Amino acid sequence: MNVNSVVNHCLSLSFFELQHFAGKNFNVVYDYIKANHKNTNPNSLLVGTIFTCIATNGSLSQKEWEFIMQFIGGYSYNEALETAGSFLNEEARNIVRSLVATFPGNVSEAYLSMCIAILAVDGRVDGEEIEFLKSLY
């Protein structure tokens, strides 16, 4: 997987297309977790991943909040900000890193692609987000 190509691809997508791209990859990972990890709630794990990615640069943009609202729903801006803040730590990042490493190839690529889409939702992938991505592969 060429991560830079996926980043550039995601940055070229419209908001709607980016949601579709993230959703398609989310479903690949969700289905794998559901089929292979019976004691794990895929939604909890993936929502945690979404908030870990959103929290990477320490802020919550309007576009990121809109993505959360349309992708997983149920969060006011302040609730999303508070939840993202609870995932702004090395422990949450390490969980994302370990998942990328433990999933089989195609699932790992889908998971990483979902993360990239989330990081690109505000139209940019900044330095902290690039460093986080580098730590995933």
Side-chain angles (χ1 to χ4, degrees):
M1 170 181 212
N2 184 325
V3 173
N4 289 331
S5 292
V6 178
V7 168
N8 290 332
H9 174 71
C10 286
L11 290 173
S12 74
L13 298 175
S14 71
F15 188 76
F16 175 77
E17 292 167 328
L18 196 55
Q19 284 182 309
H20 177 74
F21 179 79
K24 176 181 69 170
N25 288 293
F26 177 99
N27 287 336
V28 168
V29 180
Y30 180 94
D31 291 344
Y32 175 81
I33 294 168
K34 188 164 178 79
N36 295 286
H37 300 280
K38 301 294 184 199
N39 296 327
T40 301
N41 179 336
N43 279 328
S44 294
L45 187 64
L46 292 172
V47 167
T49 297
I50 291 167
F51 277 109
T52 300
C53 292
I54 293 283
T56 299
N57 67 358
S59 66
L60 179 67
S61 71
Q62 183 67 29
K63 284 287 187 193
E64 290 170 331
W65 178 64
E66 289 171 14
F67 177 83
I68 290 168
M69 284 300 300
Q70 293 180 15
F71 200 72
I72 57 178
Y75 292 87
S76 69
Y77 180 85
N78 288 336
E79 290 169 333
L81 183 62
E82 184 178 319
T83 303
S86 70
F87 284 91
L88 181 58
N89 59 65
E90 200 59 28
E91 181 182 354
R93 290 182 187 138
N94 284 336
I95 290 169
V96 173
R97 289 179 189 113
S98 70
L99 289 171
V100 168
T102 58
F103 288 143
N106 66 320
V107 178
S108 181
E109 286 186 16
Y111 186 74
L112 188 54
S113 293
M114 181 189 75
C115 290
I116 293 168
I118 294 162
L119 293 170
V121 76
D122 57 2
R124 61 184 167 71
V125 180
D126 67 25
E128 290 173 89
E129 293 168 331
I130 292 291
E131 288 305 312
F132 177 62
L133 279 175
K134 286 181 181 178
S135 77
L136 297 180
Y137 61 94

